[in-house]
Amino acid sequence: MRMYDVIAKKRDGHELSSEEIYGFIEGYVDGSIPDYQASALLMAIFFNGMNEREILDLTTAMMKSGDQVDLSPIEGIKVDKHSTGGVGDKTSLIVAPIVAACGVKVAKMSGRGLGHTGGTVDKLESIPGFRTDLNEEEFFDVVRKTGISVIGQSGNLTPADKKLYALRDVTATVESIPLIASSIMSKKLAAGSDCIVLDVKTGSGAFMKTVESSVKLAETMVKLGENAGRRTCALITDMDVPLGKNIGNSLEVIEAVDTLKGKGPEDLTHEALYLAANMLELAGKGDEDTCMKLAQSVIDDLSALNCLKQMVKAQHGDVSVIEDTDNFIKAKYSFEVKADRAGYIAHMDTEGCGISSMMLGAGRETLDSKIDMAAGIIIEKKTGDRVEKGDVLATLYADDEKLFDKAEQKYKESIIMSDETVKRNPLLYAKVSRDGIKYF
Ligand code: URA
């Protein structure tokens, strides 16, 4: 196989054979195909797409590029959940303990923050001492003991995705359905759970900006999951506004704990319950309504919060910050962003809000950047809210006062005001399962 011919074939809109796709993945992982040729192929895929068979081959080749976890030594059905990435999206921290408290095991491998979006592993590491680098035996033990464990991706899980994702990040080839679907599903399939719920974000803070493209991505991923024998469904949820109020690592853990105490913001609480209910439904706990009630009941009796505490303890984290979130180390400085005029918030460029939080130190500018765990934003006013001149739109938190100027500017640029009242977007748009698409 000549890589030049493979690139030219896709550039000219033709279908790649299985041999060519497997050859590309093998050659890229072993280093015989250089970044510049891989980049060219990614761009050709970005423009010309792939058919179902090509996407299946790409996903399978990526999944087989490294280890595949066998979760069968853990008894019972294991469910997983994956978000395509958003701003203020701390649902995994809420959903996983809810599901575990309902008796379904969650053995989850999560990622770090990516671009303007946050990552569950970074958020959990804001808990002092919390270890996300458990080996397989420790990981299984924690799941057996507490019903739940969340760790970082193990060293050799889908190395093809690790290399390709980093390359896509710097070659403007992230927002492509075949590339996102194969990236996510190769990891989820390799991670071994029996059931997978995908949270496909849509809007200004998501990689897919329209509902139509999000549904298409969801259909592609659900097919890949079901073809591999895993019960899979996808929910299309809004990311045209940050989820909840808090953006930033320990700030998001604090909001997740509040939600598990029944005191979270309405949008976050509802979305978390709905995701958890769908995980429970796939695991055979009843229909969606029954599972919604079940999920609510473990918030009400605090057993979900208790599950989170048990996991934190089992992974060597300091439980006192979960018992009383005031024990989290606070940022040294805070700064209030105030409205320059009265009106209604018509739109929040959610990617911009995420970038503003990164500028405060909550995310990585480069692969080696160190995260400030206490940095971030607490939002006071969101899309649709009435604002008077001088009202606080948001409070910024950082350990370095000099960061506030640029972060404030970025945050303000991300808020569009209007004199007219504004209708909020729905929280949930659609559900995609093997039974088809259901729009809400
Ligand atoms: N999340 C992933 O893991 N991969 C993508 O391509 C996009 C979001």
Side-chain angles (χ1 to χ4, degrees):
M1 179 188 100
R2 276 182 77 219
M3 189 57 193
Y4 179 96
D5 298 334
V6 176
I7 297 167
K9 199 170 171 188
K10 189 41 84 181
R11 179 199 63 196
D12 297 339
H14 301 299
E15 180 180 340
L16 300 181
S17 68
S18 302
E19 197 195 341
E20 285 161 339
I21 291 171
Y22 276 83
F24 162 58
I25 292 299
E26 272 165 35
Y28 188 50
V29 172
D30 73 21
S32 56
I33 294 172
D35 282 345
Y36 54 83
Q37 285 189 313
S39 309
L41 182 62
L42 290 176
M43 193 56 88
I45 295 171
F46 184 94
F47 281 117
N48 289 324
M50 281 182 140
N51 65 23
E52 243 178 64
R53 201 268 314 145
E54 288 175 293
I55 298 175
L56 177 61
D57 281 338
L58 183 59
T59 307
T60 314
M62 285 167 71
M63 177 186 79
K64 289 185 172 166
S65 68
D67 298 340
Q68 290 168 63
V69 184
D70 173 13
L71 292 178
S72 64
I74 304 172
E75 220 183 291
I77 292 184
K78 277 74 63 182
V79 279
D80 200 351
K81 172 244 165 207
H82 188 90
S83 158
T84 56
V87 177
D89 179 8
K90 68 282 292 172
T91 50
S92 288
L93 301 172
I94 305 163
V95 162
I98 291 178
V99 170
C102 295
V104 175
K105 298 205 173 74
V106 182
K108 184 163 170 46
M109 290 189 186
S110 285
R112 296 193 179 275
L114 206 61
H116 67 283
T117 68
T120 304
V121 166
D122 293 329
K123 291 170 203 180
L124 283 169
E125 284 179 355
S126 73
I127 300 169
F130 191 93
R131 278 186 53 205
T132 57
D133 62 347
L134 305 184
N135 65 33
E136 190 171 286
E137 209 183 306
E138 292 170 317
F139 178 46
F140 285 12
D141 265 359
V142 177
V143 181
R144 284 195 198 99
K145 246 198 275 166
T146 70
I148 170 184
S149 179
V150 183
I151 60 168
Q153 218 172 285
S154 84
N156 197 34
L157 198 91
T158 55
D161 180 60
K162 262 185 217 139
K163 274 191 94 171
L164 282 174
Y165 201 98
L167 191 63
R168 287 166 59 212
D169 212 14
V170 292
T171 55
T173 50
V174 173
E175 297 91 343
S176 148
I177 288 177
L179 298 179
I180 296 179
S182 56
S183 161
I184 290 177
M185 292 310 290
S186 61
K187 286 188 288 245
K188 292 291 104 179
L189 296 177
S193 282
D194 307 293
C195 311
I196 304 162
V197 171
L198 300 160
D199 181 6
V200 180
K201 302 285 183 199
T202 193
S204 61
F207 292 124
M208 293 285 114
K209 307 288 183 206
T210 65
V211 175
E212 200 190 4
S213 59
S214 302
V215 168
K216 182 116 196 23
L217 173 63
E219 281 184 288
T220 308
M221 293 197 290
V222 168
K223 249 184 226 154
L224 288 167
E226 290 283 345
N227 268 341
R230 318 287 174 89
R231 289 301 322 276
T232 310
C233 78
L235 306 172
I236 315 298
T237 66
D238 186 52
M239 192 35 74
D240 212 35
V241 62
L243 189 58
K245 291 174 69 172
N246 294 14
I247 310 172
N249 296 288
S250 62
L251 291 173
E252 294 195 36
V253 176
I254 293 169
E255 196 173 39
V257 170
D258 287 345
T259 306
L260 288 171
K261 287 180 180 161
K263 294 177 188 155
E266 208 181 308
D267 60 344
L268 177 62
T269 304
H270 186 69
E271 190 166 315
L273 283 171
Y274 196 63
L275 285 163
N278 274 277
M279 289 166 80
L280 293 168
E281 188 185 10
L282 285 189
K285 284 279 178 182
D287 63 17
E288 200 179 278
D289 277 354
T290 310
C291 291
M292 275 301 264
K293 289 190 188 113
L294 193 57
Q296 181 67 58
S297 73
V298 295
I299 290 190
D300 295 343
D301 68 10
L302 297 180
S303 53
L305 180 64
N306 196 36
C307 262
L308 178 68
K309 280 188 207 163
Q310 283 180 25
M311 177 185 80
V312 168
K313 205 163 157 194
Q315 294 189 214
H316 310 277
D318 176 1
V319 192
S320 76
V321 298
I322 308 294
E323 279 162 351
D324 180 356
T325 51
D326 279 343
N327 288 330
F328 268 111
I329 294 171
K330 304 272 177 314
K332 278 201 199 112
Y333 303 100
S334 64
F335 178 89
E336 290 180 337
V337 180
K338 293 189 175 155
D340 296 328
R341 53 160 286 192
Y344 295 90
I345 298 187
H347 177 63
M348 294 175 81
D349 170 16
T350 302
E351 183 169 341
C353 299
I355 293 172
S356 170
S357 175
M358 277 176 72
M359 291 162 102
L360 294 165
R364 291 179 190 80
E365 297 284 350
T366 68
L367 278 181
D368 309 320
S369 309
K370 204 169 158 342
I371 287 185
D372 174 357
M373 290 298 183
I377 300 175
I378 297 186
I379 300 168
E380 297 301 338
K381 302 284 182 188
K382 289 174 69 168
T383 306
D385 286 346
R386 170 77 196 169
V387 170
E388 302 304 330
K389 186 174 175 190
D391 275 358
V392 177
L393 297 174
T395 307
L396 313 184
Y397 295 89
D399 268 350
D400 180 354
E401 273 183 303
K402 290 193 288 296
L403 300 174
F404 286 138
D405 255 11
K406 284 195 172 131
E408 180 199 19
Q409 193 187 337
K410 183 73 196 170
Y411 193 83
K412 276 191 166 165
E413 277 168 18
S414 309
I415 309 288
I416 311 294
M417 301 285 289
S418 154
D419 292 327
E420 315 292 325
T421 55
V422 178
K423 216 171 143 253
R424 289 193 177 101
N425 285 340
L427 195 57
L428 305 166
Y429 287 95
K431 173 172 168 175
V432 177
S433 69
R434 64 182 180 188
D435 303 326
I437 310 168
K438 184 172 131 197
Y439 286 95
F440 300 115

